[in-house]
Amino acid sequence: MLIFRKPIEGVERPQMPADVVIVGGGPAGMACALRLSQLIDAHNTAHPDSQLSKENIYVLEKAREIGQHCLSGALLDPRSMRELLPGFEKEAPLDAEVTKEAVYFLTEKSKFKLPVTPPPLRDHGNYVISLNRFVKWLGGKVEETGITVFTGFAGAELLFDGDRVTGVRTDDKGVDKEGHQKSNFEPGYDLNAKIVILAEGPRGSLTKQLVNKFDLAKNSNPQTYGVGVKELWEVPSGRIAPGEVIYTMGWPLTSKEYGGAWIYGSKSEGSKDSVVSLGFVTGLDYHDPRLDPQHVLQDFKQHPFVAKLLAGGKMIRYGAKSMPYGGWWAIPPVAGNGWMILGDSAGFVNSARLKGIHLAIKSGMLAAETAFEALKKDDSSAATLAAFQKSVESSWIKEELWKVRNMHQGFEHGFYAGMFHTALQMVTGGRGLRNRYPGTAGYQHMRKLSELPADGGAEANLLGPAKGDGKLTFDKLTDLYHSGTKHEEDQPSHLVIDDTNICNTTCVKEFGSPCQNFCPANVYEMVDDASQPNGKRISLNPSNCVHCKTCDIADPYQIITWVPPEGGGGPNYDGM
Ligand SMILES: Cc1cc2nc3c(=O)[nH]c(=O)nc-3n(C[C@H](O)[C@H](O)[C@H](O)COP(=O)(O)OP(=O)(O)OC[C@H]3O[C@@H](n4cnc5c(N)ncnc54)[C@H](O)[C@@H]3O)c2cc1C
Ligand code: SF4
């Protein structure tokens, strides 16, 4: 029987007072901590008689090491970093400055280069980075300030007092598969905080608790997402210059699915080869439950243009992560009584540019400014923290996102309708046919098998598991091996399924168990079981999980909840 992870009841938990707890040490959380420290330092210098302390400001990060769970393309728009740390270019780990871009439309065998690069995809002046190395560097700066970063600690639950968020409970350690305490059991801490800042990245688990508890999304469009499946390759030098950027649309997706690929040239340390970051983002609003985003990337690599670039090269890393696509209208309120939400957790991503790092950093800085004022007044009520909402709305975050506010919704009816709406939106400052296009949650687009052609029709090549030739293409387990993923095996499943009967009786028949396909890490399996009405039963391999959150987003019955596993477990991204 499957036992799911939940905080152990009836144990005494260590209580820790905190001024600010930032959950998530990605670009948003680290920028927030650093800006808060800068403001406190400046205040303490100017007011020797009313000092503010940093001692009770904490960042919780579930990864064993800072940056280890961060994965991105990644191109950095330096705008917010220049505001946070002027001159950061001199010391940050930047791999290359973008010198060349191209956008292609692919058919199965050919490619067509767009004569002009669309403005959102012009990247001159941006930098190719590895997000996890960049965040490791930024996190080092935070640690130098004296702010404590607790790595290997996940925020497991929010603490409430009525309508106020009063803190965060961290994960229990040392719980076995059956949910019993092991000899090394350590209960999670209760961090009783004046301000809780959620910077958990896409589909944050505490953010989901908060949004559901207070029905925060009631006036927003449903958030929509894509999942990016990424490989890092070493290829013989000369194939792609460091700083060269290629985007593709079209094949292997058909005009019904939303998504596209990136290829970024980077540099390799100590080797003559070049490093190529390539990946495919598939919108999690596709129709066919048999579609497999990891398979989509394998197909993409077989296009003659891509295969030629990679020939003779070697895949060195793999990973996957979701990103929010919904834009401005899908952002819930970002501040309330004792809480603020940043970065991808709020949905600050410009999907037209495939960029969110600079917005995450800026949102972290603005939240720090609000938190600083709240600490000075010793007042973190909804009225005080509402300043964050206002500052986002009067900042360049809104300016940038407003221009693309209807972008993804325009693609609800496929690629060609989407291109029409995008063109219209570009000439009307983001408006298009109306000020606010409505949106639908991605999982609602998934169709039952009975409504789809049995042979997959035009999508046939994208369906089911990729086999892989071991050179250019890989099956999921081979890819997964290159993510360095590791978890404590003896712990309850952190993929919490409300009702496994739905998996075994309904979903298997209606949708053919799409979890087996959309999970990029082979966590979900339908195994033979003669006692079940359809002869199959759900089985989980939680220790494979790369924390991409796709299952929580794409499951058509919305019965899967991703909760953090024991802190420290997860992928071990390096160079991603
Ligand atoms: C495939 C892909 C390609 C992309 N390419 C680009 C690009 O080229 N340029 C660009 O600007 N943007 C890009 N983005 C978007 C960009 O990566 C994100 O917008 C950005 O990383 C958001 O930062 P964040 O700090 O909000 O979240 P994250 O980077 O996701 O960081 C969140 C952190 O919080 C931690 N965490 C989560 N939950 C908990 C918890 N409960 N307790 C403790 N810790 C927790 C995570 O381990 C992680 O370290 C891309 C995204 C994807 C998926
Ligand atoms: S189990 Fe869910 S979060 Fe984990 S890798 Fe699979 S889809 Fe992603």
Side-chain angles (χ1 to χ4, degrees), residues 433-445:
L433 294 178
R434 61 188 81 87
N435 185 40
R436 175 172 172 173
Y437 285 35
T440 316
Y443 69 89
Q444 290 178 328
H445 289 272

Side-chain angles (χ1 to χ4, degrees), residues 127 240 275 291 337 349 376 379 399 401 429 466 482 495 559 570 573:
Y127 295 102
I240 184 166
V275 168
L291 188 144
N337 203 354
V349 169
K376 273 201 307 187
D379 172 7
E399 205 179 285
L401 293 181
H482 290 85
L495 292 320
I559 52 168
Y573 292 143

